[in-house]
């Protein structure tokens, strides 16, 4: 039979045995613990930032500031690259080039009465130019139509280079959003103007005009200067070889 021992006797025996066992010195734990804590902070995103001043800021506030800065930057870039005048948006593109052929046709000429019946808005004619030599109506997207009034060059009205015209006035309904786009490159000049109290833009240099239609985009290469403004739900686009002052004068005579 095994000999029974008391708890006190067992404790004295274990203590005596422990005093005779050699135990190596434990390694330093501080560096290992600090490295483990740092790794956990990085993984959870709670590590102290390199800039001590930001450590006192709540993470939500820092996130809101970052988002706000990005929105401001995006708005600034958008304002610099996109301008809207009524039914026409002006865009900045790397480059524009004239078409290889003669370019798309504006279609057959119609009478003033016919154009007025198709337009869906009141056609206005500059008094300083008088009745147009030709009128064209272009079907665009969503059953809207664009009216193009054309005048041949004459006294005080120089020819627009590369065209048979002295002046072209395009009238677009602007009550239902964008209908056309102007693609400008770096060499174009774009200035704000006022036409009878309406805000507009003056564009110099060749560029593209893109009309959206139900059958696809109609791209027209523009060689003249362009005055663009919007009034009473209609966007007006006057193309001419005249300078800005005389173009604004013509626009002011709109009947």
């Amino acid at each position: 039979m095994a000999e029974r021992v008391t708890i006190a006797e067992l404790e004295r025996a274990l203590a005596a045995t422990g005093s005779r066992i050699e135990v190596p010195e434990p390694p330093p734990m501080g560096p290992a613990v600090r490295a483990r804590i740092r790794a956990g902070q990085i993984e959870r995103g709670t590590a102290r930032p390199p800039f001590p001043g930001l450590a006192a800021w709540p993470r939500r506030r820092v996130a809101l500031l970052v988002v706000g800065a990005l929105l401001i930057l995006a708005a600034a870039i958008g304002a610099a690259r996109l301008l809207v005048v009524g039914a026409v948006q002006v865009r900045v593109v790397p480059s524009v080039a004239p078409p290889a052929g003669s370019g798309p046709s504006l279609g057959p000429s119609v009478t003033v009465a016919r154009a007025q019946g198709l337009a869906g808005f009141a056609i206005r004619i500059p008094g300083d130019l008088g009745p147009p030599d030709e009128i064209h109506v272009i079907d665009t997207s969503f059953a809207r139509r664009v009216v193009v009034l054309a005048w041949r060059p004459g006294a005080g009205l120089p020819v627009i280079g590369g065209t048979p015209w002295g002046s072209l006035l395009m009238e677009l309904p602007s009550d239902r959003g964008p209908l056309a786009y102007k693609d400008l490159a770096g060499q174009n000049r774009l200035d704000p103007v006022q036409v009878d109290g309406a805000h507009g833009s003056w564009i110099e240099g060749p560029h593209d005009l893109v009309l959206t239609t139900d059958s696809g985009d109609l791209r027209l290469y523009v060689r003249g200067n362009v005055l663009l403004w919007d009034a009473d739900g209609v966007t007006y686009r006057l193309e001419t070889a005249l300078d800005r002052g005389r173009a604004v004068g013509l626009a002011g005579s709109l009947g």
Side-chain angles (χ1 to χ4, degrees):
M1 173 177 281
E3 184 180 1
R4 293 178 180 274
V5 296
T6 64
I7 297 296
E9 291 173 335
L10 179 61
E11 289 177 350
R12 286 194 295 269
L14 290 174
T17 303
S19 63
R20 294 193 297 268
I21 298 175
E22 295 184 0
V23 180
E25 289 291 329
M29 299 296 293
V33 172
R34 286 194 294 270
R36 186 65 178 271
I37 293 174
R38 177 65 176 175
Q41 289 176 334
I42 293 175
E43 183 178 352
R44 295 190 304 272
T46 59
R48 182 179 177 84
F51 301 102
L54 292 179
W57 287 26
R59 295 173 61 191
R60 184 185 297 272
R61 182 184 300 178
V62 174
L64 289 175
L65 286 175
V66 171
V67 171
L70 291 175
L71 289 176
I72 292 173
L73 179 60
I77 294 174
R81 298 184 63 84
L82 181 64
L83 172 70
V84 179
V85 180
V88 180
Q89 287 189 2
V90 179
R91 305 179 297 195
V92 177
V93 298
S95 63
V96 295
S102 59
S105 170
L106 296 177
S109 179
V110 299
T111 65
V112 174
R114 177 60 176 163
Q116 185 62 77
L118 293 172
F121 57 88
I123 297 175
R124 300 172 66 187
I125 298 175
D128 288 354
L129 289 177
D133 294 303
E134 289 188 11
I135 302 179
H136 302 266
V137 178
I138 303 174
D139 290 322
T140 59
S141 58
F142 305 109
R144 290 181 291 175
R145 294 182 172 92
V146 172
V147 176
V148 182
L149 311 178
W151 291 264
R152 294 188 180 91
L157 193 62
V159 65
I160 301 171
T163 78
W165 305 112
S167 187
L168 292 166
L169 178 63
M170 186 174 287
E171 304 186 5
L172 310 87
S174 57
D175 57 340
R176 284 182 286 172
L179 192 58
Y181 300 88
K182 278 192 169 293
D183 288 343
L184 309 185
Q187 72 271 16
N188 291 109
R189 178 171 180 174
L190 177 63
D191 295 325
V193 293
Q194 291 276 328
V195 179
D196 278 350
H199 295 289
S201 295
W202 172 253
I203 302 170
E204 292 183 2
H207 58 278
D208 282 344
L209 172 67
V210 183
L211 296 174
T212 60
T213 73
D214 291 332
S215 58
D217 289 343
L218 176 63
R219 185 173 293 270
L220 305 172
Y221 185 70
V222 180
R223 292 173 169 85
N225 300 324
V226 171
L227 179 63
L228 193 64
W229 75 102
D230 186 78
D232 301 323
V234 179
T235 301
Y236 299 93
R237 177 195 168 277
L238 178 64
E239 183 177 348
T240 178
L242 298 172
D243 60 27
R244 180 171 60 180
R246 296 174 67 187
V248 171
L250 282 181
S253 71
L254 206 63

